[in-house]
Amino acid sequence: MNTANAQTISLKFNESKIEIIDQTLLPFTEQWIDITDPKDAVLAIKNLKVRGAPLIGVVASLCFGIFCRKENNKQQRLFWWEQLITSRPTAVNLVHFMNEIKPLVDSETSGELIFKKAYSFFKSDQSMCDKMASIGAEVLIQKLGLVELPNKQFSLLTHCNTGGLATAGQGTALSVIKNMGLKFSQMMTYVDETRPLLQGARLTTWELGHTKQKYKLICDNMAGFLMMQKKVDAVLVGADRITSTGDSANKIGTYSLAVLCHYHKIPFYIVAPTTTIDSLLKFGSEIPIEERSPNEVRGFASSKESLQWALEEVEVYNPSFDWVPSSLITGWITEDGYYEKEDLAQGSFAKYQKAGVI
Amino acid sequence: MNTANAQTISLKFNESKIEIIDQTLLPFTEQWIDITDPKDAVLAIKNLKVRGAPLIGVVASLCFGIFCRKENNKQQRLFWWEQLITSRPTAVNLVHFMNEIKPLVDSETSGELIFKKAYSFFKSDQSMCDKMASIGAEVLIQKLGLVELPNKQFSLLTHCNTGGLATAGQGTALSVIKNMGLKFSQMMTYVDETRPLLQGARLTTWELGHTKQKYKLICDNMAGFLMMQKKVDAVLVGADRITSTGDSANKIGTYSLAVLCHYHKIPFYIVAPTTTIDSLLKFGSEIPIEERSPNEVRGFASSKESLQWALEEVEVYNPSFDWVPSSLITGWITEDGYYEKEDLAQGSFAKYQKAGVI
């Protein structure tokens, strides 16, 4: 297994060390930090230096794999396994990856095998991203008629950050966008700033700039006016959870975008690995929606600075996610292939019984 | 004419002095500043201490009226008339009010008559707001079935600030909302934060809190998800310009709200004085849309602090307004009455030939 010098936009890796880009300092400072033992990983995860469920899962499991090659003591291994799996309770891939490793720890498997298992998660995430990028580009080229008109000017729109800062590969929706941008130099992407945490403004702009793609940042409330002016040809977003019927939960604001696309007859795609599909759920209404701190809406806080513009006593409604009914979704781009509503009606998503288990 | 102790949420007035609330310090500090001569008014307007086209127009003309009672010299009067009318080029009421006063200055009319003219603008603005509040409440009570079900729980949603901080009266859309809140204690209002300048988060929350109304602040991208959950019964917004066919320009984000209302079958109202109607224009596409500084989207700056979260090199699209086609508007609430599309088709707006002239 050749693992030397593996590198993504957010992760550098060789067999003894992981480095991650400190996402709390982006977009202003590109600082890489060493993750040499599980304690470093736990701290980086807790302090949000690494974000995105797939990326967190890969960093934690890889770091644990490296640790187990040096540490044979079962109690020590179990202690750090526990610390890592609880470091970010909402990161579904972290829980799944660590749970897959658990039997190896229990059976006192060699560190080398545990490392190999962790490494397979990394490679699998990268490979899923590459497949989505490739399948998504095929779908868009067909849908936008780019075979017949390869020089057509067109624009995509995306929400939040679904790129190499969220995954251990190229990303989900953003992997498709970056792949399309490489193929079509006349393409440009509108990036929703994505209030309240501004992942679009801070991270997606940085990532698209880093990879020399053309984009423009907008406030979330400008998307409709762009569509009215026929300036958006397709919208691509990620998903946190997809039900058997295709209802898809994603960052707050996604539902509004889907309605706007429906009204303007603009194709709206979900790009997500099949590990996101939880076919034990049928409808989006079954997905619990977390409400987050009102302070996120009363102002904005980065790792270094904060600014409040609404009074402390201002009441807030701050759901972190919403969900889009499958009726508003043109298609689902996964690493396993492209699906439309007709496919789902025939049970295409039913086989993904256990969400998150690769 | 009894003008003693006239007071609104943003303006205090007696025959010799104006005081305004310094809007650049809101919502954290409620500081009133004296406007004793035209120079004070010019500075307050230029430094954004007073905002909202009607309020700016009233402050400038009232201040000019007070000045003319003390100053008979025509050259002095013309000098300050010129300074005031050019203090905020985009404030349409300012230009109209000052232009109406101009003949009185040219003809060396007594200061008392100039003051009376200015005072009539103030009273007229207040009266228009009161009428909109009253007519709008009638429309909503009927539309929401509140005669039959006076204790029904319901919620309104609004965008930007259209209240007593924008007008010399109770406001436009917000005057209807405040009037409804007084009548129905079970009512609540969702307030869009209104990126990029956050007038909803800063000013509308302050104004609704000041008048003891129930509200919740949301990010603009949350409105759709609220509507999906049937948590919004009607949307009311202001307008900056309305064409003869009813197409209505307003703060960016208004168009997205109108589409979301259309999809969810939620009534969507424009509340604006007839002075906003420019029947020389037929369609919204004829309304020029100003693009503002990209820095507004790369971060946020108040009068005291600023925070940037996107890099300086980030490209931005920042239209300050959008426009809603009349097909998406349920009705127009004006001081002259309530209009629906059928009324406009019969030429109801054609009589308002000269926008902004009272």
Side-chain angles (χ1 to χ4, degrees), chain B residues 49-340:
Chain B
K49 291 179 191 299
V50 55
R51 57 165 278 287
L55 184 57
I56 288 172
V58 166
V59 167
S61 53
L62 267 184
C63 172
F64 187 71
I66 294 171
F67 173 73
C68 290
R69 287 202 301 203
K70 293 177 290 187
E71 178 60 71
N72 288 312
N73 181 286
K74 185 176 174 181
Q75 291 315 310
Q76 274 297 309
R77 285 179 172 182
L78 281 172
F79 175 80
W80 285 110
W81 180 89
E82 182 69 28
Q83 298 297 308
L84 283 163
I85 198 173
T86 55
S87 61
R88 182 85 59 87
T90 55
V92 62
N93 305 59
L94 169 66
V95 175
H96 291 137
F97 292 169
M98 295 306 287
N99 274 335
E100 280 216 54
I101 287 176
K102 183 77 182 335
L104 306 184
V105 181
D106 289 339
S107 61
E108 299 189 51
T109 302
S110 78
E112 199 53 38
L113 286 179
I114 294 177
F115 172 78
K116 279 188 177 166
K117 185 81 184 168
Y119 189 71
S120 75
F121 300 147
F122 179 25
K123 284 286 116 180
S124 165
D125 194 48
Q126 288 201 309
S127 150
M128 285 196 299
C129 291
D130 291 345
K131 285 179 189 158
M132 285 184 272
S134 159
I135 293 168
E138 274 177 47
V139 169
L140 283 177
I141 287 169
Q142 166 106 28
K143 186 76 176 185
L144 304 181
L146 295 167
V147 177
E148 300 78 20
L149 293 167
N151 298 314
K152 181 178 153 183
Q153 298 278 337
F154 66 98
S155 302
L156 307 178
L157 186 147
T158 191
H159 193 66
C160 202
N161 177 269
T162 59
L165 293 170
T167 66
Q170 286 290 313
T172 58
L174 208 59
S175 81
V176 178
I177 288 171
K178 289 186 289 186
N179 190 21
M180 287 294 286
L182 291 176
K183 293 178 198 294
F184 301 96
S185 60
Q186 75 278 19
M187 182 190 102
M188 77 95 89
T189 303
Y190 288 102
V191 178
D192 271 358
E193 65 177 11
T194 319
R195 278 284 290 153
L197 296 182
L198 297 161
Q199 294 94 333
R202 296 183 296 118
L203 303 177
T204 303
T205 58
W206 178 84
E207 188 167 342
L208 289 177
H210 197 82
T211 50
K212 311 254 183 272
Q213 301 249 342
K214 278 188 286 191
Y215 68 88
K216 278 191 184 180
L217 176 65
I218 60 168
C219 297
D220 301 318
N221 65 21
M222 296 167 186
F225 189 50
L226 278 175
M227 293 181 188
M228 181 209 224
Q229 297 170 76
K230 302 191 189 305
K231 286 185 178 169
V232 179
D233 296 278
V235 171
L236 293 97
V237 297
D240 286 78
R241 211 157 170 190
I242 302 176
T243 72
S244 64
T245 60
D247 292 353
S248 301
N250 190 43
K251 189 64 59 199
I252 186 71
T254 304
Y255 173 73
S256 287
L257 281 179
V259 171
L260 289 167
C261 280
H262 176 81
Y263 181 77
H264 294 93
K265 299 185 174 47
I266 294 168
F268 178 87
Y269 298 103
I270 297 287
V271 189
T274 55
T275 50
T276 312
I277 300 166
D278 184 351
S279 68
L280 297 176
L281 299 180
K282 191 167 182 191
F283 298 115
S285 53
E286 298 164 37
I287 301 171
I289 302 291
E290 176 199 5
E291 277 194 50
R292 291 175 57 91
S293 162
N295 282 332
E296 290 182 354
V297 177
R298 293 183 192 127
F300 176 74
S302 75
S303 58
K304 287 176 150 177
E305 301 173 287
S306 68
L307 187 58
Q308 195 178 327
W309 46 70
L311 290 168
E312 200 60 43
E313 68 250 35
V314 164
E315 296 261 342
V316 166
Y317 172 63
N318 182 22
S320 55
F321 296 93
D322 58 30
W323 61 273
V324 182
S326 61
S327 59
L328 294 177
I329 298 170
T330 307
W332 292 258
I333 294 159
T334 78
E335 84 286 1
D336 259 9
Y338 173 63
Y339 298 94
E340 293 197 345

Side-chain angles (χ1 to χ4, degrees), chain A residues 6 12 15 41 50 55 69 72 76 93 103 106 119 138 141 147 155-156 167 187 197 218 238-239 252 277 318 333 335:
Chain A
K12 291 178 191 170
E15 294 201 26
V50 56
L55 183 58
R69 288 204 297 205
N72 288 314
Q76 274 297 310
N93 305 59
D106 290 339
Y119 190 72
E138 273 176 47
I141 287 168
V147 177
S155 301
L156 307 178
T167 65
M187 182 190 102
L197 297 182
I218 60 168
I252 186 70
I277 300 166
N318 183 21
I333 294 159
E335 84 285 3

